[in-house]
Amino acid sequence: MRFEGKKVLITGATSGIGRATSIAFAKEGADVYVVGRNQNRGNKVVADIKELGRNGMFLQCDVSSPEEVEKIYEMMSNEGIIIDVLVNNAGVFITQSLDDMVFDDWSTTFSTNVNSVMLMTKAFINDLKKSRGCIINNASISGLDIFTSGTKNYMYGASKSAVVKFSKLCALNYAPDVRVNVVCPGIVDTELFTNRDFSRFDGVIPMGYISKPEQIAKLIMFLASEDADYITGAVIPVDGGMSLK
Ligand SMILES: NC(=O)c1ccc[n+]([C@@H]2O[C@H](COP(=O)([O-])OP(=O)(O)OC[C@H]3O[C@@H](n4cnc5c(N)ncnc54)[C@H](OP(=O)(O)O)[C@@H]3O)[C@@H](O)[C@H]2O)c1
């Protein structure tokens, strides 16, 4: 029960890694604020959180929209809710060659994967300073300098690199009050991939299999916990060794 009495807000929590992380935090005592656009799925996650005896609330929000982010901050603020942990996890994955690149897709990728992280951080940073809380941003091994993941990974890779750099600057500027760290998953079995044939990754992951969302949640929770109280500005792959190749 590492998070008894803590309040955790997770974006992109209606499915995949965000959903698994929401449930995992609730299992360890946290109240969880589930952010996403899909109300049905968000309500289901909240129902699972409540079944565990914790408080949960779905906050419908397009995190790429400055107005919608401001609205959820104001709603929480009016309720007197001050969060301890912010997990910026919402994201989209689109791959295109430069020749085929569509500006709207580039724009969607950056507004969802990058602008959202800035908007959420800016909205909640003063509360996190008050709670001496922490931020965990979900980037990807695609955002690491050491890893060039496929020839068509321009927009996703560039957006996740931006998340890494933004996070490091936040870690520097908000220490010692707020710790800011980054998780970089490899391949995780979620709906992020429209192509469900994961056999294309056979042989590329030293650990021999793609991960479950719960394995990413474990790292996020470690970074949010007291055990990580001296860790800030860290960028940690959780990829079964994929980025080593
Ligand atoms: N799966 C992987 O292999 C992998 C690897 C590396 C990094 N990641 C990162 O992990 C994060 C979570 O992805 P996932 O794999 O769990 O995929 P997922 O199951 O597709 O989850 C993506 C989540 O983001 C939310 N979302 C997307 N656009 C949004 C918006 N504009 N506003 C609010 N929420 C939005 C979706 O919720 P709604 O539809 O309800 O809005 C959904 O809950 C992403 O940042 C992704 O880049 C994943």
Side-chain angles (χ1 to χ4, degrees):
M1 298 299 273
R2 289 176 291 177
F3 301 100
E4 188 98 62
K6 299 286 186 195
K7 297 185 188 332
V8 179
L9 187 150
I10 305 179
T11 71
T14 57
S15 67
I17 297 167
R19 181 185 186 286
T21 307
S22 301
I23 304 295
F25 269 113
K27 278 187 181 157
E28 291 212 39
D31 294 337
V32 185
Y33 299 89
V34 170
V35 177
R37 294 164 303 178
N38 187 314
Q39 183 146 23
N40 282 341
R41 294 202 304 191
N43 287 341
K44 278 189 196 134
V45 178
V46 168
D48 289 345
I49 290 165
K50 289 190 171 161
E51 211 154 278
L52 292 163
R54 315 312 316 175
N55 288 322
M57 190 190 286
F58 176 59
L59 303 170
Q60 192 170 34
C61 175
D62 175 346
V63 288
S64 67
S65 154
E67 295 78 23
E68 292 194 26
V69 168
E70 193 49 39
K71 219 163 74 188
I72 60 165
Y73 175 72
E74 271 171 22
M75 194 281 288
M76 300 216 20
S77 180
N78 291 340
E79 297 282 317
I81 299 162
I82 295 190
I83 59 169
D84 301 282
V85 181
L86 168 63
V87 182
N88 285 312
N89 166 77
V92 290
F93 174 66
I94 309 171
T95 52
Q96 281 158 5
S97 68
L98 189 55
D99 281 347
D100 295 337
M101 202 171 286
V102 176
F103 180 72
D104 276 358
D105 290 334
W106 173 275
S107 230
T108 300
T109 300
F110 270 75
S111 64
T112 311
N113 295 4
V114 187
N115 296 5
S116 67
V117 178
M118 179 278 290
L119 292 169
M120 291 294 295
T121 304
K122 205 164 149 54
F124 285 93
I125 194 74
N126 285 332
D127 282 2
L128 288 163
K129 277 164 82 174
K130 280 184 208 149
S131 62
R132 288 187 77 87
C134 65
I135 300 174
I136 294 99
N137 291 329
N138 191 353
S140 162
I141 55 169
S142 299
L144 299 173
D145 283 350
I146 54 162
F147 189 69
T148 310
S149 50
T151 53
K152 292 187 180 174
N153 217 10
Y154 291 96
M155 41 196 171
Y156 187 71
S159 74
K160 293 302 190 177
S161 292
V163 171
V164 170
K165 183 61 85 174
F166 179 80
S167 306
K168 287 194 175 206
L169 281 155
C170 290
L172 179 65
N173 287 317
Y174 290 97
D177 299 327
V178 184
R179 294 184 300 106
V180 183
N181 291 295
V182 184
V183 300
C184 292
I187 307 297
V188 192
D189 184 0
T190 72
E191 292 169 28
L192 195 74
F193 296 101
T194 39
N195 176 358
R196 308 297 300 160
D197 178 11
F198 290 112
S199 67
R200 66 190 183 281
F201 299 114
D202 285 354
V204 302
I205 303 167
M207 291 288 284
Y209 66 97
I210 66 168
S211 72
K212 294 280 172 216
E214 289 74 16
Q215 291 175 292
I216 313 305
K218 283 197 274 190
L219 176 59
I220 293 172
M221 293 178 68
F222 164 71
L223 289 169
S225 76
E226 283 291 311
D227 290 335
D229 60 2
Y230 200 55
I231 301 178
T232 196
V235 180
I236 306 182
V238 48
D239 65 347
M242 187 174 174
S243 57
L244 298 170
K245 284 197 164 182

